[in-house]
């Protein structure tokens, strides 16, 4: 390659990296503003002009949150709700997706399209009907009152993603195991699921994030403050006459930390799972 070619390639890379860095900066700025505000005094958060770096940084907000709120309980409840939603979703999504991937039956396409239609409804549209169902079942003010609706809204995405991934697993592997005497349950749990680990991890991550950030279901179905999750805990800090924004932002930052740790451990599986089945052979 000539010197002019090298220069054009280098210039193109500089432009690409420049655009990527600019986009990353735009996306990350709200998180930086939230994080830096937790170290500012209340008066500086809304000062004009706004300061990007705290003039007198302090960890007082974190100490206040630790001693004056139930942030640990909110985090624990968020884990209970999120893990419960993940378990219920996978228990329903795996058999449904596997059955559709391995069997041709009348109404299969209609079923998959109907599942997809559910994804189009916003939870707030159905909240009145859900409230009636939850009350009639006697689940009001229980974790299940939040877990069941959250699982219902994550099922469509999970069924379609796992359906696409199960179709990529060679049928010959299952036929060989069947000849060796394996049952259908053993084939699914010992052969198919281990081969679809990236899709399962992506499914778990998506469902966990969805349930972790739910406010509407907790706000509607839970009145016991001992069962509040992180979003509901933040909402409860909004006062009628005064709101401590510094502590609200601090609780929000604390609520993000478990998600960052989850992404750090599972990032490679998430990318593989999300793109699985995207290419049609």
């Amino acid at each position: 390659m000539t010197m002019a070619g090298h220069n054009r390639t280098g210039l193109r890379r500089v432009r690409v990296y420049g655009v990527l860095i600019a986009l990353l900066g735009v996306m990350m700025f709200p998180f930086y503003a939230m994080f830096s505000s937790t170290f500012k005094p209340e008066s500086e958060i809304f000062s004009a002009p706004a300061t990007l770096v705290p003039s007198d940084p302090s960890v007082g907000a974190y100490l206040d949150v630790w001693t004056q709120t139930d942030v640990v309980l909110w985090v624990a409840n968020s884990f209970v709700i999120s893990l419960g939603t993940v378990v219920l979703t996978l228990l329903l999504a795996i058999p449904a997706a596997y059955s559709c991937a391995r069997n041709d039956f009348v109404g299969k396409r209609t079923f998959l399209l109907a599942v997809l239609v559910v994804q189009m409804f916003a939870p707030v549209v159905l909240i009145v009907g859900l409230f009636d169902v939850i009350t009639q079942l006697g689940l009001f003010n229980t974790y299940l009152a939040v877990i069941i609706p959250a699982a219902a809204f994550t099922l469509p995405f999970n069924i379609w993603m796992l359906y696409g991934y199960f179709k990529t697993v060679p049928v010959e592997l299952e036929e060989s195991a069947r000849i060796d005497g394996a049952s259908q349950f053993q084939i699914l749990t010992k052969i198919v699921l281990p081969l679809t680990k990236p899709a399962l991890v992506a499914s778990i991550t998506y469902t966990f994030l969805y349930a972790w950030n739910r406010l509407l279901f907790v706000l509607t179905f839970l009145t016991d403050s001992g069962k509040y999750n992180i979003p509901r805990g933040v909402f409860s800090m909004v006062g009628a006459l005064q709101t401590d924004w510094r502590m609200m932002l601090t609780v929000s930052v604390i609520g993000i930390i478990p998600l960052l740790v989850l992404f750090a451990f599972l990032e490679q599986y998430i990318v593989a799972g999300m793109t699985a089945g995207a290419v049609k052979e």
Side-chain angles (χ1 to χ4, degrees), residues 11-27:
L11 188 60
R12 188 162 52 244
R13 287 180 178 173
V14 169
R15 286 199 294 264
V16 170
Y17 282 117
V19 171
L20 292 177
I21 292 172
L23 288 174
L24 184 63
V26 171
M27 288 187 293

Side-chain angles (χ1 to χ4, degrees), residues 8 81 223 245:
R8 281 196 296 272
I81 293 171
T223 56
W245 293 97

Side-chain angles (χ1 to χ4, degrees), residues 3 17 35 65 71 106 111 140 144 183 189 201 211 256 263:
M3 183 62 70
Y17 282 117
F35 181 70
V65 164
V71 64
V106 178
F111 169 74
F140 187 78
L144 284 176
S183 64
T189 56
V201 172
I256 292 174
F263 263 100

Side-chain angles (χ1 to χ4, degrees), residues 218-271:
V218 179
L219 193 63
T220 307
F221 302 133
L222 295 182
T223 56
D224 182 1
S225 60
K227 294 186 174 70
Y228 285 179
N229 63 351
I230 283 288
R232 183 66 180 89
V234 172
F235 185 77
S236 69
M237 299 171 72
V238 177
L241 301 177
Q242 186 176 6
T243 300
D244 192 332
W245 293 97
R246 189 179 59 124
M247 290 181 63
M248 287 180 63
L249 293 170
T250 304
V251 174
S252 299
V253 169
I254 293 174
I256 292 174
I257 293 174
L259 304 182
L260 295 178
V261 174
L262 181 69
F263 263 100
F265 279 105
L266 303 179
E267 180 267 340
Q268 57 177 328
Y269 295 108
I270 294 171
V271 174

Side-chain angles (χ1 to χ4, degrees), residues 93-271:
I94 290 174
Y98 182 71
S99 298
C100 291
R102 285 292 180 260
N103 301 292
D104 287 323
F105 52 87
V106 178
K108 171 182 166 182
R109 182 177 176 78
T110 304
F111 169 74
L112 289 172
L113 288 176
V115 167
L116 196 59
V117 168
V118 176
Q119 191 78 50
M120 300 177 184
F121 290 99
V124 69
V125 176
L126 306 174
I127 198 66
V128 175
L130 284 172
F131 182 85
D132 187 44
V133 172
I134 293 296
T135 304
Q136 293 294 329
L137 293 175
L139 298 177
F140 187 78
N141 219 15
T142 66
Y143 289 121
L144 284 176
V146 179
I147 291 173
I148 292 175
F153 282 96
T154 55
L155 264 177
F157 174 82
N158 285 296
I159 289 177
W160 270 92
M161 186 178 67
L162 293 175
Y163 167 73
Y165 210 101
F166 285 149
K167 287 175 71 71
T168 65
V169 177
V171 180
E172 291 77 10
L173 290 176
E174 300 179 36
E175 291 176 344
S176 298
R178 194 170 288 110
I179 292 173
D180 291 338
S183 64
Q184 188 61 56
F185 181 75
Q186 290 174 321
I187 292 173
L188 177 62
T189 56
K190 295 185 178 180
I191 296 177
V192 177
L193 292 184
L195 291 174
T196 57
K197 187 163 62 174
L200 289 175
V201 172
S203 177
I204 291 170
T205 306
Y206 165 77
T207 307
F208 191 92
L209 290 178
Y210 182 92
W212 186 274
N213 294 316
R214 284 310 91 189
L215 170 63
L216 180 63
F217 298 144
V218 179
L219 193 63
T220 307
F221 302 133
L222 295 182
T223 56
D224 182 1
S225 60
K227 294 186 174 70
Y228 285 179
N229 63 351
I230 283 288
R232 183 66 180 89
V234 172
F235 185 77
S236 69
M237 299 171 72
V238 177
L241 301 177
Q242 186 176 6
T243 300
D244 192 332
W245 293 97
R246 189 179 59 124
M247 290 181 63
M248 287 180 63
L249 293 170
T250 304
V251 174
S252 299
V253 169
I254 293 174
I256 292 174
I257 293 174
L259 304 182
L260 295 178
V261 174
L262 181 69
F263 263 100
F265 279 105
L266 303 179
E267 180 267 340
Q268 57 177 328
Y269 295 108
I270 294 171
V271 174

Side-chain angles (χ1 to χ4, degrees), residues 73-94:
L73 180 63
W74 297 340
V75 171
N77 288 334
S78 292
F79 270 107
V80 171
I81 293 171
S82 299
L83 292 176
T85 305
V86 168
V87 171
L88 181 59
T89 300
L90 290 184
L91 284 176
L92 298 174
I94 290 174

